[in-house]
Amino acid sequence: MRSVLSSTLLFALTALTLILLRPLMPVDETRYMAAAWEMRIGGSAWVPHLNGALYGHKPPLLFWLINLVWALGGIAEFPARLIGPAFAAASVALTGLLARQLWPNQPDRAGAAALILAVSPVWLLFGSTTMFDAVLTCATLLAMLSLWSAAQQPRRAAWAALGAAVAFGVYAKGPVILLHVMPAAFTMALWAGPARPSGRVWAKGLGLALLAALLLVGLWLVPALILGGEEYRTEVLWRQSGGRMVASFAHQKPWWFFLALLPLMIWPFGWTRPGLAMLRPRRLLADPGTRLLALWAGGALTAFSLISGKQAHYLLPEMPALALMLAGGLPTRKWRRRDFWLALPLLAALAAFSAAATGLIPALRKLHDPLPLWSLALGTACLLIGIVGFLRLRSAPVALAALPLTLMIGLHLALSPLLFARYDMTALGRAVGPFDSAGIAVTDGTYHAQLNFAGRLLHPVARLASPEAVAAWRQAHPDGLLLDQNGLSIPGMTPFAALPYRGGTYTLYRSEEVAP
C-alpha cells in the first residue's frame, strides 16, 4: 500500500498548493462558508440557514465539520478550507483499498488507480474546494466496498456498513447518494461472480441496509423537519430530491453534457492506447470487478444525463470508478515526440498565456485587470517543466502524471493575481463589516451570501429588487450601506467606493445626509 499512500500524499500536497493560490471562490464556496458561519453565530445546528433564511438545499454535515474545526482552532478561513480536500485525499486512499479488494492478485493496480485519481485535473479542481462532492465520493466508495463485501459474504456487518455509508452520503449531500449507489446495488446478478448470494438473500440484505440508513438519517432529519416547519419540509422532501428528478430548478444543461466532459475526465491516462483498451466493452465485462465499475459509473452517468440540472462536479463520485478501470491498462514504454499530442491541454494553456500577455483576450481587456507578466511567466515555466518531464522521466505512468499536475499548478500560478483581485471577498468584507449593525443591502437579486462570512456579519443582508424597495430601505436605514452592481444612480444616495467583484464592480453607496 506504499504506492497508494504516496499518491494520497501527492494529492494532498497538490491540493494544498492550489488552495494557497486561489481565494475562497464565490458563489459556491463563500455560500457554504456563510451557512457554517450562521450556524456558528447562533443559528440552528439542526436546520441550516443562509442570510437569515432557511437553507434546505444541502444537509448540515459540511457545516457541522467546519464548526468543529472552528471550535478546535478558532474561526479562520484556511483550516475550514481543508475539510473538502481531506475527504478527497481519503477517497484516493479508499480507491486503492477498493482496488485491492476487487483484484487481490493484482497488487500494483491499487497504486495505479490511486495515482490516476490523484492527478486527474477534474479531481484536483473539485477535490480541493469547499464543497460537498468529495465527502459524497468518500461515502460512495465506502458503499462500494460494502457491496463488494456483501457479494462475497452477505453478513449483517456488510449490510450495516452499507446502510451507514448511504446515511453518510445523505448527511453529505442528500438522497442523491442513491443515484450513485443504486445502479450497482440493484444489478448484483450482473456483476457478481458465480458464488454470488441468491436474489432473496440480496434483497433482504438491501432492506436491512435501507433500514439502517433510515434510522441513522432520522437522528437528524426528524428533529430538523419538526424545527424547520412546513417550508423546510417542502424544501428537503420535495424540491431537493424528487423535484430535481422531474424538473431542474437550476443548472439546466443538455442531455449530452456529461458525455462531452468524458474526454477531460479520463485525461491523460484514458487518452493512451492501453487506457482506451480498458474502456472497451469486452474488457469491462471481463471480470466481476470491472463489471461492478461499469454499472456503477454507467448507471450514474445515465441517471444524471436524464436529469436536466447538471454541473461538472455532479459526477465526481464516479471519478474513482474511471481511475480503477484505467488502472488495468497502464502504459509501459517511454514517451517519445510522436506522443506529444497527449500534452495538447498544456499546449493550449501555453497559447492562452501568450494571448493574455499580448492583450489578445477581450474578456481580460474588459476587466482592466491584465495578468502580470511575472505570473504568466511562472505558469509557463511550470507547463514547460511538465512537458520536459513527460519526455524525460523513465517511468511512463509517472511521466504521464506530470502533465495534469503541472497543468493545474501552472494555471493557478498564472491566474492567481486575477483570482485574488476579482474573486477574493476579503476587501469587500472589510468594507461592509463596520455597517453590520446599521444595515447592509444589495440591489442584485442573485445575492448568495458571499459577503456574510468575509464581513463576519451578524445580521442578514437585505436584497432589494426595485427602486421602491431601495427608497423604503434607505428611509429605514439612514446610516446603512447599499451595494450595487448595475452602475445606476440611486436617488438620495452617494457612491463613495467601488470594489471589483468577479466580472463586474460593487459600488458602495451611503445616504447623502451621512456620506463622507
Side-chain angles (χ1 to χ4, degrees):
M1 291 291 286
R2 181 177 297 179
S3 58
V4 174
L5 295 177
S6 298
S7 295
T8 303
L9 180 61
L10 175 64
F11 169 80
L13 293 175
T14 308
L16 178 61
T17 302
L18 301 186
I19 290 172
L20 294 173
L21 290 174
R22 67 170 187 255
L24 193 72
M25 297 291 287
V27 293
D28 288 328
E29 289 189 291
T30 51
R31 175 171 54 216
Y32 305 142
M33 200 71 77
W37 168 247
E38 294 201 27
M39 188 177 286
R40 172 74 178 184
I41 61 175
S44 170
W46 298 96
V47 181
H49 285 69
L50 184 69
N51 198 38
L54 288 172
Y55 185 61
H57 291 225
K58 296 294 185 293
L61 178 59
L62 179 62
F63 312 138
W64 288 345
L65 293 173
I66 292 174
N67 275 279
L68 176 61
V69 169
W70 286 342
L72 295 174
I75 297 172
E77 176 186 298
F78 180 72
R81 294 182 68 186
L82 299 179
I83 294 172
F87 279 96
S91 295
V92 173
L94 286 173
T95 299
L97 178 60
L98 181 55
R100 292 289 295 268
Q101 297 297 315
L102 297 180
W103 305 288
N105 297 325
Q106 303 177 45
D108 292 342
R109 195 159 179 171
L115 176 65
I116 292 171
L117 181 63
V119 302
S120 162
V122 174
W123 186 257
L124 283 169
L125 177 61
F126 293 114
S128 61
T129 60
T130 301
M131 295 176 69
F132 307 90
D133 301 278
V135 189
L136 182 65
T137 302
C138 206
T140 303
L141 282 163
L142 291 172
M144 294 303 158
L145 284 164
S146 301
L147 282 172
W148 184 259
S149 176
Q152 310 307 306
Q153 291 183 323
R155 296 174 297 183
R156 287 187 177 180
W159 300 119
L162 176 60
V166 171
F168 178 26
V170 173
Y171 276 93
K173 202 179 178 181
V176 70
I177 178 68
L178 297 176
L179 293 181
H180 299 286
V181 175
M182 283 195 306
F186 288 167
T187 58
M188 179 274 298
L190 299 179
W191 56 261
R196 61 180 177 267
S198 67
R200 183 177 180 181
V201 170
W202 191 258
K204 288 178 62 176
L206 290 180
L208 178 62
L210 178 60
L211 178 61
L214 289 174
L215 289 174
L216 291 171
V217 172
L219 296 176
W220 157 70
L221 187 58
V222 172
L225 293 178
I226 295 173
L227 295 172
E230 182 178 354
E231 179 185 353
Y232 190 71
R233 288 193 290 271
T234 302
E235 184 73 27
V236 170
L237 297 179
W238 168 243
R239 282 183 60 87
Q240 297 307 318
S241 52
R244 286 190 180 272
M245 307 298 177
V246 178
S248 172
F249 306 116
H251 313 309
Q252 293 192 27
K253 303 287 192 308
W255 66 268
W256 45 262
F257 176 75
F258 290 118
L259 290 175
L261 285 180
L262 274 179
L264 179 60
M265 295 173 71
I266 64 173
W267 180 77
F269 288 89
W271 287 22
T272 65
R273 183 173 295 179
L276 283 174
M278 293 305 300
L279 300 180
R280 293 175 180 171
R282 181 172 59 85
R283 300 297 294 270
L284 293 177
L285 301 176
D287 61 73
T290 54
R291 291 197 295 270
L292 169 63
L293 299 175
L295 289 165
W296 165 15
L301 174 64
T302 302
F304 280 96
S305 295
L306 294 175
I307 298 171
S308 59
K310 301 176 182 68
Q311 290 280 67
H313 53 84
Y314 286 2
L315 285 186
L316 203 68
E318 279 58 61
M319 291 298 297
L322 293 175
L324 288 161
M325 294 176 194
L326 296 172
L330 282 186
T332 55
R333 66 173 178 84
K334 192 175 184 297
W335 303 109
R336 299 181 176 88
R337 291 184 180 180
R338 68 185 184 189
D339 303 308
F340 209 56
W341 64 274
L342 290 170
L344 278 177
L346 279 77
L347 299 178
L350 286 172
F353 292 172
S354 299
T358 53
L360 296 179
I361 299 180
L364 289 178
R365 291 203 305 268
K366 290 180 180 179
L367 291 177
H368 304 293
D369 278 317
L371 288 169
L373 292 179
W374 64 264
S375 72
L376 292 170
L378 285 175
T380 299
C382 188
L383 296 180
L384 292 176
I385 289 172
I387 292 173
V388 172
F390 170 67
L391 295 174
R392 295 293 182 88
L393 290 172
R394 293 183 178 180
S395 170
V398 173
L400 195 58
L403 294 179
L405 275 178
T406 53
L407 174 65
M408 293 304 295
I409 296 175
L411 286 173
H412 278 70
L413 284 171
L415 298 176
S416 186
L418 177 63
L419 295 178
F420 278 99
R422 285 277 163 183
Y423 292 84
D424 188 6
M425 293 288 99
T426 303
L428 272 166
R430 290 198 193 102
V432 304
F435 298 92
D436 184 28
S437 58
I440 302 170
V442 294
T443 58
D444 54 292
T446 58
Y447 179 71
H448 293 281
Q450 56 264 32
L451 300 173
N452 292 41
F453 176 71
R456 304 297 193 270
L457 304 183
L458 303 178
H459 303 89
V461 174
R463 294 190 291 182
L464 310 177
S466 66
E468 293 77 17
V470 171
W473 181 87
R474 182 173 62 85
Q475 292 294 327
H477 302 84
D479 296 321
L481 177 71
L482 179 69
L483 293 91
D484 175 72
Q485 291 192 72
N486 301 316
L488 302 176
S489 61
I490 299 178
M493 305 200 78
T494 300
F496 70 94
L499 292 171
Y501 171 67
R502 300 178 73 183
T505 300
Y506 261 131
T507 303
L508 280 59
Y509 292 82
R510 296 195 69 189
S511 175
E512 292 177 347
E513 289 79 8
V514 297

